[in-house]
Amino acid sequence: MSIEKVKEYFKQFSREKDIIELKQSSATVRLAAEALGVEPARIAKTLSFKADTGAVLVVTAGDARIDNKKFKSKFGMKAKMLSPEEVIEYTGHAIGGVCPFGLHNKNVKVYLDESLKRFETVYPACGSSNSAIELNCDELADYSNSLEWVNVCKIN
């Protein structure tokens, strides 16, 4: 899925014009934070993991990383990242623009990590390596169709 498809997805919420398209890359937490002028922790990064029947996406704060013990306890499996090809296959987005919006693959389950709840608003990508949208946590939960808030990360 490209940024155009994410814009189309956000039309149902009348939020497509709120997508920020940057001149510079926002493909990493550091680059996104610099481009948006916010602290890196407020970048909502989407991490993609293999599951028995598809993929698990965990959206987490930019300064957080997966805690393997918590992840295994929650999901009953080891945290094994998808390959770049699998990321595109399951999400429709290339690494650097992965987001939880408008996913049509029924084998992808989205979860939000509690590390995001520290912030009034966060900035997830929108399908390209130079896009983002500012959302509060309730909006992120609604628009991503996440299944639940989880605690599977630790702050760096």
Side-chain angles (χ1 to χ4, degrees), residues 20-105:
I20 303 162
E21 290 188 75
L22 303 157
K23 293 190 188 318
Q24 64 271 46
S25 175
S26 60
T28 67
V29 168
R30 182 183 59 76
L31 290 173
E34 288 173 6
L36 294 164
V38 299
E39 64 181 294
R42 288 184 58 205
I43 302 303
K45 62 184 176 183
T46 302
L47 304 175
S48 313
F49 301 95
K50 289 185 182 198
D52 290 340
T53 59
V56 168
L57 302 184
V58 178
V59 185
T60 185
D63 64 346
R65 61 187 171 104
I66 293 295
D67 180 311
N68 289 320
K69 187 176 178 180
K70 288 180 180 179
F71 187 95
K72 188 169 185 173
S73 176
K74 173 63 186 168
F75 297 112
M77 63 185 187
K78 184 178 178 182
K80 184 171 182 354
M81 300 289 288
L82 296 176
S83 70
E85 295 78 22
E86 290 170 322
V87 171
I88 293 170
E89 175 187 339
Y90 283 107
T91 70
H93 308 295
I95 292 174
V98 178
C99 65
F101 308 121
L103 302 172
H104 298 296
N105 189 326

Side-chain angles (χ1 to χ4, degrees), residues 6 8 20 27 33 38 40 63 83 88-89 92 96 102 108 114 116 118 135 137 142 149 151 154:
V6 174
E8 188 63 32
I20 303 162
V38 299
D63 64 346
S83 70
I88 293 170
E89 175 187 339
V108 177
E114 292 180 2
L116 294 165
R118 298 175 282 160
L135 300 173
C137 288
D142 289 344
W149 287 93
N151 179 5
K154 53 188 164 188

